Amino acid sequence: MQFITTKAPTTLTALTQQVFDTHGLKPADAEQAQAALRAANPHWGDQAELPAGTFVIVPKVPGIQAAASQPAEAVSAAVVGQLKQVLVAAQAVLELSIASEKREIETSLSLAKSRDLVGLAIETPELRDLLAQVNEQAKLQLEQIAANQAESLQGLAQLEKELGSLNP
């Protein structure tokens, strides 16, 4: 993954051609590179033209080579500082979101184990099967949340490390 800032106003199509070696690519591959660039930079919103000085995260796209990279000095110390603050905020939001998701699932699990519901399940085989499915699904969701959390935190740590290498 590389980081650059635009030197002049540009469009997503022009930027894609600038940061990826699009010469000889099939149109579908060029569209894939453009989509990856857009996905890696949600902070752009729906702008038709990106202004000069726009921070760009250049993702790795399988099968598509990055163009010759700009030197790391192209990203100012102020931008690096701002990005570090954004990473701290992103980690905090991620942790809050994960905690909220876990609480919701744990609440569902506790409700599924309530005396009243268990009592009804004894009398209603369909409900018993449904409760078993709910419990199993909730456990799988908790496992997936843990895996996603580890992956997200690893990605944030990698971004922080790469930002650290950009500091003068």
Side-chain angles (χ1 to χ4, degrees), residues 5-10 47 49-55:
T5 54
T6 58
K7 293 181 180 171
T10 188
Q47 297 180 55
E49 184 173 272
L50 303 172
T54 300
F55 179 74

Side-chain angles (χ1 to χ4, degrees), residues 69-152:
S69 64
Q70 295 182 5
E73 295 78 40
V75 178
S76 72
V79 169
V80 172
Q82 289 175 339
L83 288 171
K84 285 183 178 182
Q85 290 175 349
V86 168
L87 283 177
V88 168
Q91 184 169 352
V93 168
L94 174 68
E95 290 170 354
L96 286 173
S97 174
I98 288 169
S100 176
E101 283 185 81
K102 285 181 178 179
R103 276 193 306 275
E104 287 178 23
I105 293 170
E106 289 165 354
T107 299
S108 296
L109 278 172
S110 68
L111 289 173
K113 294 177 182 178
S114 72
R115 282 186 184 205
D116 293 337
L117 204 51
V118 170
L120 284 173
I122 291 171
E123 298 171 13
T124 313
E126 296 86 12
L127 182 58
R128 185 176 344 134
D129 294 341
L130 185 59
L131 285 177
Q133 290 175 357
V134 167
N135 283 330
E136 184 61 31
Q137 191 64 26
K139 289 176 185 176
L140 291 173
Q141 286 177 328
L142 286 172
E143 290 173 7
Q144 187 63 47
I145 288 170
N148 290 348
Q149 178 181 18
E151 186 177 306
S152 296

